[in-house]
Amino acid sequence: MSKIINILGIRGVPANHGGFETFAEYLCKYLIESDWQVSVYCQEDGKGDIYESEWEGVKRIHIPVSQTGPLGTIIFDLKSVVHSLKQDGIYLTLGYNTACFNILHRIFGKTNIINMDGIEWKRQKWGKVAKSWFWLNERFGCWFGNHLVADHPRIEDHLATRVRRDKITMIPYGAPDVSSADIQHLEKFGLEPEKYSIIIARPEPENSILEVVQAFSRNKREQKLVVLGNFSPNDNEYHKSIIDSASDEVLFPGAIYEHDIVGALRYYSRFYIHGHQVGGTNPSLVEALGAGCAVLAHGNHFNQWVASDAAIYFSSQIELAEFFDSKYHDHNLVVEKKKNAKKQFHERFIWNDILKQYEALILENIK
């Protein structure tokens, strides 16, 4: 049996972009330790020939792309798929946004497992053309993938309306188990432990940031609300409405990518606030559970399965305001939710358990 795997669909490793890249980094290291040969396709800005490098025992195949934005990603994915046809081994594609290209893996008799991510075409931020593209590629991914991974039971149920259920395996996302953090990282923001709550999300309508900021800002809280993310109020009306709604107790430090700083801000918060309305197993929510955070979350079935009894749930701005006016300051409630977060995390989201499931699935699909 040949333990060779090619990973496509991400910007590359090490992780410096998003959840899929972080997952790929963990998976690569795990597989290398288990004597796999691992190749990862990496997107580079600019022009030039495809070249290779090595990182932590992983072969990185670098593909320069001069185009930027979504078009650049599409071109990178196409070039990655075409180049990968020359490779031996099995394939793991993370995401279905350009699954139309995966027909080439089928034509050339390659075995490709596709992680189908969330239901991208339902996100509010996309226009009609983008939604149509994602809807079509979700179908293509279901057809062209030899096997599918769903990261949430509801995603599995959704995919089962497209393909037979035995073609789908549910494996959630993971996160580190955090038991400490450097408290000095709070000083630069003027924060104290449990005297602030935090939002870590892209500022988009589907993430409920406006509702949270408006509800929090209705009254004096004697607490801070920290909102991480890139805001462009001069170019984006939604961003402007969030900032205009904020009281002087709301902080906008921008986007922070240093893991230690973000980890400390999350670890010492009173509540991690998760307003995501769509998606599967969201990485930032799992990371909050791993840090033992009490959670305030939008009450949809995606978040409820992930957080379970580690969270207080809301469905409207009115419910948010009522919570901030009353139970937000209940110390015993915070302690209870933090305890539940760790319990939920250890039951479902330990990285080593999840990576074992992936390796087992990959081995099952090797011809």
Side-chain angles (χ1 to χ4, degrees):
M1 182 176 60
S2 180
K3 294 173 70 173
I4 302 171
I5 186 168
N6 307 282
I7 299 176
L8 302 92
I10 58 171
R11 298 285 183 92
V13 292
N16 57 14
H17 182 68
F20 263 151
E21 283 75 16
T22 300
F23 161 70
E25 182 174 323
Y26 276 98
L27 181 64
C28 286
K29 292 178 179 179
Y30 179 89
L31 293 177
I32 290 293
E33 290 179 359
S34 300
D35 298 322
W36 285 78
Q37 296 178 43
V38 182
S39 298
V40 177
Y41 282 84
C42 304
Q43 183 175 349
E44 303 292 340
D45 295 330
K47 299 179 180 180
D49 296 329
I50 297 173
Y51 65 97
E52 296 180 4
S53 69
E54 185 176 301
W55 173 81
E56 301 283 345
V58 177
K59 181 170 77 172
R60 299 191 298 173
I61 302 171
H62 302 266
I63 299 185
V65 177
S66 58
Q67 294 83 357
T68 60
L71 177 59
T73 300
I74 291 171
I75 292 171
F76 163 71
D77 287 343
L78 176 58
K79 289 184 175 182
S80 298
V81 168
V82 172
H83 185 277
S84 74
L85 298 175
K86 299 179 289 185
Q87 306 289 95
D88 295 325
I90 196 168
Y91 297 74
L92 174 64
T93 301
L94 300 176
Y96 65 80
N97 293 352
T98 54
C100 54
F101 303 144
N102 295 126
I103 191 174
L104 295 174
H105 290 131
R106 278 287 191 166
I107 292 172
F108 281 78
K110 305 293 186 178
T111 301
N112 184 23
I113 299 170
I114 302 179
N115 184 310
M116 295 296 288
D117 200 12
I119 309 174
E120 193 69 23
W121 52 270
K122 283 191 175 182
R123 298 190 187 277
Q124 299 178 36
K125 66 179 180 179
W126 301 121
K128 291 182 179 179
V129 173
K131 285 184 176 182
S132 298
W133 170 266
F134 291 130
W135 186 89
L136 286 170
N137 276 280
E138 180 188 79
R139 295 293 180 121
F140 291 143
C142 290
W143 297 337
F144 301 151
N146 296 85
H147 197 85
L148 310 178
V149 175
D151 70 6
H152 191 286
R154 290 300 183 113
I155 299 295
E156 180 182 9
D157 292 342
H158 169 73
L159 296 175
T161 66
R162 274 85 166 116
V163 296
R164 65 185 189 277
R165 193 173 286 270
D166 63 2
K167 189 179 177 177
I168 311 163
T169 299
M170 199 289 290
I171 308 176
Y173 193 82
D177 189 355
V178 179
S179 57
S180 65
D182 188 349
I183 198 171
Q184 293 183 353
H185 288 308
L186 303 189
E187 294 177 2
K188 66 188 70 176
F189 304 102
L191 299 171
E192 299 178 48
E194 291 200 17
K195 292 190 176 181
Y196 68 94
S197 291
I198 190 165
I199 300 172
I200 306 173
R202 294 186 180 93
E204 297 164 355
E206 66 193 33
N207 292 338
S208 311
I209 297 175
L210 178 60
E211 292 89 336
V212 175
V213 170
Q214 287 177 337
F216 187 87
S217 301
R218 275 179 48 168
N219 293 310
K220 195 75 174 174
R221 304 297 178 189
E222 303 300 333
Q223 284 262 331
K224 300 292 186 183
L225 175 63
V226 180
V227 185
L228 298 190
N230 278 320
F231 284 80
S232 303
N234 294 329
D235 304 318
N236 187 301
E237 282 297 321
Y238 182 68
H239 295 184
K240 184 177 185 300
S241 63
I242 292 171
I243 292 173
D244 289 346
S245 300
S247 71
D248 58 5
E249 293 182 306
V250 182
L251 306 180
F252 296 93
I256 300 174
Y257 297 105
E258 292 85 349
H259 294 300
D260 290 346
I261 297 176
V262 176
L265 290 171
R266 184 188 291 117
Y267 181 78
Y268 289 107
S269 65
R270 186 171 187 83
F271 280 92
Y272 167 78
I273 303 176
H274 189 78
H276 293 60
Q277 299 173 25
V278 295
T281 299
N282 186 275
S284 60
L285 181 53
V286 177
E287 287 166 359
L289 298 179
C293 293
V295 176
L296 175 62
H298 185 273
N300 59 71
H301 46 241
F302 297 110
N303 297 337
Q304 288 169 344
W305 181 83
V306 175
S308 186
D309 58 358
I312 301 291
Y313 297 98
F314 67 88
S315 60
S316 68
Q317 185 181 324
I318 293 173
E319 290 182 4
L320 278 166
E322 290 175 349
F323 172 77
F324 288 129
D325 288 339
S326 57
K327 293 182 180 180
Y328 180 79
H329 294 281
D330 185 337
H331 175 71
N332 292 332
L333 177 66
V334 174
V335 171
E336 176 194 344
K337 295 304 178 184
K338 286 179 178 289
K339 179 181 177 182
N340 292 347
K342 276 297 188 181
K343 180 175 180 291
Q344 177 72 352
F345 174 76
H346 285 123
E347 287 179 357
R348 285 184 175 164
F349 303 113
I350 296 292
W351 264 132
N352 203 54
D353 296 341
I354 287 161
L355 299 175
K356 282 181 181 178
Q357 293 177 59
Y358 265 95
E359 184 181 26
L361 177 65
I362 294 164
L363 289 169
E364 287 174 9
N365 281 273
I366 289 178
K367 293 181 180 179

